[in-house]
Amino acid sequence: MFKPEEMVKIEVLSLNRYKDSILTYLHEQGVLEIREIDVDVAQKDAPNEFYRKAASYTISLSRLIEFLKLYKKQEQGGIKGFIFPELKPKRKYKYRGIENLIKEIESFLENAEPEIKNIESKISSLNTEIERLKTEIETLELLSALDIEIEYLKPTKSVEIVVGFVEKDKFLPLIEELKKALDNRIAYVSRDLKGKVFVVVALLNRDYDKANPILAKYSFERIEVPEVRGKPIEAIKDLQKRIASLNKELEVAEKEARVLAEKYHDELVFYQELMENEREKANMLSNLVRTNMTFALTGWLPRKEVPKILEGLNKISRGKIYVNVRSPTPEELDEIPVKLKNPKFIEPFEMLTEMFGVPKYNELDPTPILAFTYSFFFGFMLTDFMYGLIIAVVATLLTMGHKKLNDGVYKFSNILLWSAFFTIVMGILFGSYFGDAFQRAGINVPALLDPMRGALVVLGLALAIGLLHLFIGYTLGFIVKIKNKETANAVLEQLPWMLIILGVIFLALSIAGFTSIVLGEAFLLPGIVLFVIAEIRSDLPILMRLLMTISDFFGFIGNWLSYARLMALALATAGIAMVVNIIVAMIWGIKIGPVPLGIAVGLVVFIGGHIFSTAINALGAFVHALRLHYVEFFGTFYSGEGKRFEPFKAKREVSELELEI
């Protein structure tokens, strides 16, 4: 806790014939971050033909899966499916090398792919034909306004027929210009339709080249006359019968597709996952180097994993392997990947730390402090017992449903559980149960402090909490710099603010009569002196140093006052809840005759209003609690500029690899 996982560097050299097995073993263990080797005595490794095939088959399998997924029986969805997702069963696969795996997939696709592609092509062809016929029907519905034989709209050897739309205000100018250009050698029929004019123009073939630019000038929208016979109404009926027949064929084809989906979908997904992992291994090969007989790799892993990894590597290679494990050197400090290490109950909060950035290897991990202060700030801002209870119920359900997945939802729901606990505690202290709902109902509830009536007290409490929070941050920064032998920076950058904060605290206590003002001055004055010294030691011009001193001082004041948002959001929660309760009280007594309509409507408003209030205020508490840490707190000591540990790790949702060790 407070320190990242201890990392070591490992260097591996073995024979090429064990490379695939060793890579697969490391991939399945998922504890080693492989780094690129920069050497001149050997060449970079590259994927062989089987690894290249793995990349190709990944794409093929993905396309087949996308088609069959449309016809696969859907899994449980909705709210229940989200809260209690079904865990996908894993199928075991005995790994005997990539060559055997590729051959197995080729054998599987030899039978499955033609079947799937055949039905896919059939369904695609039927859908295309149905859409074409529907488009023709739409065109015929327009032509039905003319009620003439479709054959009359087809061109002949000497006459060209043009059918389409033109804007209403352009119709007459178009006709006039055509008549003038063609010496009145045109005939036309028109109908007003949907704000435009539907026109059929007949002209001589020899005049078409003259007419075409004029039609384009007036934005004439042409339509293609379908290849049918008879009047439009009759043709539409024939096409509808054809569509009905094609739909029956489509139903049969889709039924076959559903059968194929049940037969092949899960197996395709299984093989795709195997191929995805092989492709990831292929991508990692460029970080390795090799000779004709040997290969080498290097990387970082947690020290606690070393015994297990060494044992596995020796078994796989039959002892024909060289492994060197060593601690990092000071020069490698910026290269070391960081893996956070915290107790199980704090571990979910690592997600919030990593959203900002992981610490450097020689920095402190702020997660243990963040776990408490974030939850407390959330509770202080939401500060309602019933809202906390609602969040706790939702978070508990999500935790139960996602525990087996250990995914992001599970981690976030654990964060919500802790936040809900502090919300409930603060709700009891502030006497808030759906705001002032109990008080309005005549039920007296005990309260240590009413945020609406004691806003100034809450503000003072928020600022005191903020001062303490900042002091913790500067103290942690002081410890880190002393530990990293940056004594001068610790004394001039962290210590001044620690002394100033202590001075402010003791001055406040002296005003309240608890301590002497001398004690406050004893901390405050040295702190100000050190702060000024730190500011004037820069290489900036004198005027700029003065401006920077003023800016940094008021920057600290601004950070401190930012904690007033604790009070502001607490008041916002109480205020919104009060508004909901007032609206309910206004409509509660409304009756229509003997029917107590106000009670029914009031219950709906009460439940809906407080659910909305819970959601909107919880969102505000979540964002602003993060903001107080990311901007104010982390700014005192934490860079978040470390490199996150990204192990070479297989992704297994539906497959489980069995290795021969």
Side-chain angles (χ1 to χ4, degrees), residues 63-77:
R63 195 178 64 78
L64 296 175
I65 290 167
E66 284 300 312
F67 169 69
L68 291 183
K69 189 164 61 175
L70 299 172
Y71 303 97
K72 182 80 167 63
K73 185 178 179 182
Q74 295 297 314
E75 298 176 356
Q76 177 179 282

Side-chain angles (χ1 to χ4, degrees), residues 241-521:
K241 289 179 182 177
R242 175 63 180 152
I243 288 174
S245 174
L246 290 174
N247 277 326
K248 289 181 180 178
E249 291 183 44
L250 184 61
E251 286 179 13
V252 173
E254 288 179 337
K255 186 176 180 181
E256 291 178 32
R258 284 190 287 272
V259 172
L260 290 179
E262 290 300 316
K263 181 179 179 182
Y264 291 124
H265 179 271
D266 291 347
E267 198 160 6
L268 285 167
V269 170
F270 171 75
Y271 282 124
Q272 185 198 34
E273 186 169 278
L274 294 177
M275 287 294 94
E276 286 282 1
N277 283 293
E278 293 302 320
R279 186 171 69 168
E280 187 177 348
K281 284 160 58 179
N283 293 337
M284 188 55 63
L285 289 172
S286 60
N287 286 345
L288 279 58
V289 294
R290 67 179 176 86
T291 64
N292 291 335
M293 296 290 292
T294 62
F295 80 97
L297 64 84
T298 186
W300 297 92
L301 79 160
R303 184 179 289 277
K304 66 180 183 181
E305 303 289 349
V306 170
K308 180 181 177 182
I309 293 298
L310 290 181
E311 182 183 1
L313 290 175
N314 276 295
K315 285 184 178 179
I316 288 173
S317 63
R318 310 292 191 270
K320 298 178 179 65
I321 191 169
Y322 165 79
V323 181
N324 179 43
V325 179
R326 62 175 177 81
S327 298
T329 63
E331 292 75 22
E332 294 174 321
L333 189 63
D334 291 335
E335 298 180 22
I336 307 171
V338 173
K339 183 177 187 295
L340 302 182
K341 178 181 67 174
N342 289 289
K344 283 289 182 183
F345 69 96
I346 291 177
E347 201 172 277
F349 288 89
E350 291 177 358
M351 182 170 67
L352 300 183
T353 301
E354 290 175 350
M355 282 170 61
F356 183 85
V358 297
K360 291 183 178 180
Y361 192 67
N362 61 346
E363 284 185 338
L364 289 177
D365 174 13
T367 306
I369 294 173
L370 181 145
F372 172 78
T373 54
Y374 175 84
S375 303
F376 174 72
F377 289 171
F378 185 100
F380 196 106
M381 287 188 274
L382 197 55
T383 190
D384 189 286
F385 178 92
M386 300 306 294
Y387 290 2
L389 195 60
I390 291 172
I391 293 172
V393 170
V394 173
T396 300
L397 291 173
L398 288 172
T399 303
M400 292 168 58
H402 288 261
K403 184 176 182 180
K404 54 195 173 184
L405 299 176
N406 194 27
D407 56 0
V409 174
Y410 175 73
K411 294 174 182 177
F412 183 69
S413 59
N414 272 279
I415 294 172
L416 281 183
L417 269 178
W418 281 103
S419 302
F421 168 75
F422 281 97
T423 303
I424 290 170
V425 171
M426 296 305 294
I428 294 171
L429 294 177
F430 285 7
S432 182
Y433 301 81
F434 286 137
D436 60 350
F438 283 9
Q439 292 89 327
R440 290 182 179 276
I443 302 172
N444 188 29
V445 293
L448 187 65
L449 179 64
D450 185 343
M452 297 298 288
R453 293 184 176 85
L456 288 178
V457 178
V458 178
L459 175 61
L461 184 60
L463 292 178
I465 292 168
L467 210 56
L468 178 60
H469 200 222
L470 291 173
F471 180 77
I472 292 171
Y474 284 118
T475 303
L476 291 174
F478 182 82
I479 292 170
V480 169
K481 283 179 174 153
I482 291 293
K483 179 186 171 186
N484 293 333
K485 298 179 181 179
E486 301 175 27
T487 307
N489 289 336
V491 171
L492 293 175
E493 293 177 9
Q494 312 297 130
L495 186 58
W497 296 116
M498 294 166 62
L499 294 174
I500 289 171
I501 291 172
L502 287 173
V504 171
I505 291 172
F506 284 117
L507 284 177
L509 291 174
S510 70
I511 293 172
F514 291 106
T515 63
S516 169
I517 194 171
V518 176
L519 187 59
E521 292 172 348

